[in-house]
Each structure stands twice: as structure tokens, then as C-alpha cells.
Amino acid sequence: TYEVINNDTVNAVAITGGFIVVYTGLLEQLDSVARARFPRDSAQARARYLGWTASVLGHELAHLELGHLDDIARFLARSRAGRTAVATDTTREAQIERVMSEPGMLADRALTRELEASADRTGALYLLRAGWDIQDAMDLFRIFDEIDRARGGTTDLGHVTWLSDHPRPAEREGRLEILRGTLKIDQARFDDAITLVRNGVMLDTAIVLLDTVLAHFPD
């Protein structure tokens, strides 16, 4: 079930029970960026806006389908407790030093970063299934990176990778670039395998090729 909330928050979230909540702040920002990129081509701007929105929905749907929400909820509970514990620290540096001294908190952040990366990968496959392209998601992360840099956020200590619960947008774009390249190689191997099978030759080689592809899609 999808719910659109009239709120300036630039975000979308998956919620236990099969709900995906999208804030109008996110939709408005994506629309604004698309119009700025293509000021003289409304059709292109619309296409980019829809592709970026599909990328967000694919990512949140992946969180639901992969069963991430319980792990994320536990992380958020511990994170709130950690923020309460460091509330008396007066500087950002002191707070970070406190977090760095807590192996469990760092492990939680590493886990949520991996959950986000996993949702990015699966979300990209949902994009392809729905007729969009992985490039749409890559472009979206590049936009987030540009926004962060324009605001100076990339140099904030809280954005240091091992302290964050999300990978940096540039890293997420790079991971999707690797995924896209892997899929292209898998497509070539799959095509070769099917060609061999249909011609009834080198069947052992065809099986090896298919097994190589299936290793990336065990389910």
C-alpha cells in the first residue's frame, strides 16, 4: 500500500505491514530538479522525474520484500538510545569519539549500510522489470551527491562512511555501476548458453555458463 504524505520532508520510507510512505517534499524536489535539468523539454523532464520516483519506490519495495524492516527498527532503537547517551557531549567531535568507542553501534551502522546496498541492488532489478533503467537510480544518487556537496554536507563528520547508517550517494552510484556491468556480462553468458542448448552442442559448457549466471540470482 502506498501513501503520499503532504509534508516537506525529502524522504520515503517502508513500514512494517507492507506500507510505503512517500513525502511530497521528495516528489517536489525531484520534479524541481528535473525541470531545472530540462527547462525547454517538458517531456524529458517528466520522464526523468518518473524514472527517479520509480527508483525510490523500487528501493523501498526491496526493503519490504527482503525483510529488512525488523533489522532497521532495532538499529533505530539503539541509535536513539545512543543519541540520548551522548546528549551531554558538547562538541560533534566528542560525540563521534563516543560512538567510535562503541563497537556495537559501529556494527549496527555497518549492517544498515549493507541493508541499504542490498535494497539498492534489488530495487534496480525492480526498475528493469518495470521498464525503467538502472541509470535512473544512478542519476538519482548523483543528484543526492550534488545536493550534499552544494550544502557542504559531504565534509560534515557525521557523513564519514563508518559513522553513517547509509552509504554515501557516490558509493551507491558506483555499486549500481558494478551491478549494471555484471548484468551485461551475465546476459552475454546466458545468450551463449541458450544458443548452445538450442543447437544441442557443448551442453556441459552451457551448464557451466548458466551456473555462473545463477550464482548471482540464487533464488
Side-chain angles (χ1 to χ4, degrees):
T1 301
Y2 297 88
E3 297 288 346
V4 179
I5 304 298
N6 187 20
N7 186 289
D8 291 338
T9 303
V10 181
N11 198 13
V13 294
I15 300 176
T16 300
F19 295 94
I20 294 178
V21 174
V22 181
Y23 294 97
T24 55
L26 173 67
L27 300 177
E28 290 168 357
Q29 183 168 58
L30 296 182
D31 181 63
S32 176
V33 172
R35 291 176 185 274
R37 294 285 174 91
F38 303 98
R40 295 184 177 85
D41 191 337
S42 59
Q44 183 72 280
R46 177 68 175 171
R48 294 282 65 76
Y49 164 74
L50 291 176
W52 297 337
T53 303
S55 300
V56 173
L57 295 178
H59 175 89
E60 299 303 334
L61 177 61
H63 274 315
L64 291 173
E65 293 296 326
L66 295 173
H68 289 167
L69 299 190
D70 288 342
D71 288 328
I72 292 174
R74 283 193 291 269
F75 162 77
L76 290 175
R78 286 192 291 264
S79 180
R80 292 189 188 100
R83 283 198 295 271
T84 301
V86 301
T88 57
D89 293 328
T90 57
T91 67
R92 183 66 163 165
E93 291 81 356
Q95 292 179 15
I96 290 174
E97 184 176 354
R98 180 74 171 271
V99 172
M100 289 290 289
S101 68
E102 297 287 343
M105 197 170 294
L106 290 176
D108 285 343
R109 283 168 166 73
L111 171 62
T112 57
R113 288 196 301 274
E114 181 50 42
L115 294 180
E116 292 301 325
S118 177
D120 287 345
R121 290 191 297 270
T122 300
L125 298 179
Y126 284 138
L127 268 183
L128 293 175
R129 181 179 294 179
W132 300 97
D133 191 81
I134 293 177
Q135 186 65 51
D136 292 303
M138 292 169 61
D139 288 343
L140 180 62
F141 287 131
R142 181 163 297 186
I143 288 169
F144 289 156
D145 184 65
E146 291 174 357
I147 291 172
D148 279 349
R149 292 180 186 281
R151 294 174 177 172
T154 56
T155 58
D156 183 273
L157 282 173
H159 283 74
V160 174
T161 297
W162 57 87
L163 296 176
S164 175
D165 56 1
H166 282 60
R168 286 179 180 266
E171 177 186 346
R172 298 172 77 172
E173 180 188 356
R175 286 175 179 263
L176 287 183
E177 184 73 76
I178 293 172
L179 172 64
R180 183 169 63 175
T182 300
L183 289 176
K184 289 180 181 294
I185 295 171
D186 283 343
Q187 183 67 67
R189 289 171 175 161
F190 182 83
D191 290 343
D192 283 342
I194 297 303
T195 298
L196 295 177
V197 169
R198 286 179 175 172
N199 286 276
V201 297
M202 300 177 66
L203 298 184
D204 288 343
T205 299
I207 290 173
V208 170
L209 289 170
L210 289 175
D211 283 344
T212 302
V213 174
L214 287 171
H216 297 142
F217 299 94
D219 297 330

